[in-house]
Amino acid sequence: MSNKEDTRLRDTIETIERQVLDITDDLKALQGRLRAGESDAVKETAKMCGEIRYWIRFAMEMEAKLDEGRQRRGARPAGGEDLDLDAARTSIRCRLDRLRRCTGPETVSG
């Protein structure tokens, strides 16, 4: 993978991260609607959770491709350090726990 492709993938990952943050903001707004008793907000919240899961999965795939390209070139992963998979798992679990508390355990798998 060339540096140009590396940069394009990194830009894609950053775009996805921004999209996930936007969706998260929308989810917070839906949470307020749920608390206010709006019944149609339940369906929208479930849909939003699905979108978040999709974009997170997509971002992870892009990061994996980026790391594969670096490994083929003999470079280290982003940040110049080995990946801390335990820390990543913990971070993901915490985020999913917050989503479950926010939207209810039945809307977020994991």
Side-chain angles (χ1 to χ4, degrees), residues 53-88:
R53 283 192 297 271
Y54 168 80
W55 286 112
I56 288 171
R57 190 176 318 116
F58 190 76
M60 291 171 66
E61 289 171 6
M62 291 297 105
E63 285 186 286
K65 285 182 182 182
L66 187 60
D67 286 340
E68 285 173 18
R70 286 186 184 119
Q71 287 175 356
R72 275 186 254 145
R73 290 193 322 265
R76 296 180 71 101
E81 301 172 2
D82 291 333
L83 293 175
D84 185 348
L85 295 178
D86 288 331

Side-chain angles (χ1 to χ4, degrees), residues 3-109:
N3 284 338
K4 184 178 178 180
E5 290 172 315
D6 211 27
T7 301
R8 245 181 54 223
L9 277 174
R10 191 174 301 111
D11 290 344
T12 300
I13 291 167
E14 289 173 5
T15 299
I16 292 166
E17 287 173 346
R18 283 191 303 272
Q19 289 171 337
V20 169
L21 288 173
D22 288 345
I23 291 170
T24 302
D25 289 341
D26 292 343
L27 189 57
K28 288 176 186 176
L30 281 173
Q31 181 182 12
R33 290 175 54 200
L34 280 170
R35 287 185 178 143
E38 291 185 35
S39 60
D40 64 329
V42 174
K43 283 190 247 180
E44 290 180 45
T45 302
K47 180 183 174 192
M48 193 70 58
C49 287
E51 288 181 33
I52 290 171
R53 283 192 297 271
Y54 168 80
W55 286 112
I56 288 171
R57 190 176 318 116
F58 190 76
M60 291 171 66
E61 289 171 6
M62 291 297 105
E63 285 186 286
K65 285 182 182 182
L66 187 60
D67 286 340
E68 285 173 18
R70 286 186 184 119
Q71 287 175 356
R72 275 186 254 145
R73 290 193 322 265
R76 296 180 71 101
E81 301 172 2
D82 291 333
L83 293 175
D84 185 348
L85 295 178
D86 288 331
R89 280 186 206 95
T90 300
S91 174
I92 290 168
R93 279 190 202 110
C94 289
R95 290 175 187 187
L96 287 173
D97 287 344
R98 285 193 299 270
L99 276 173
R100 282 187 199 99
R101 283 192 306 272
C102 177
T103 62
E106 63 282 346
T107 60
V108 181
S109 65

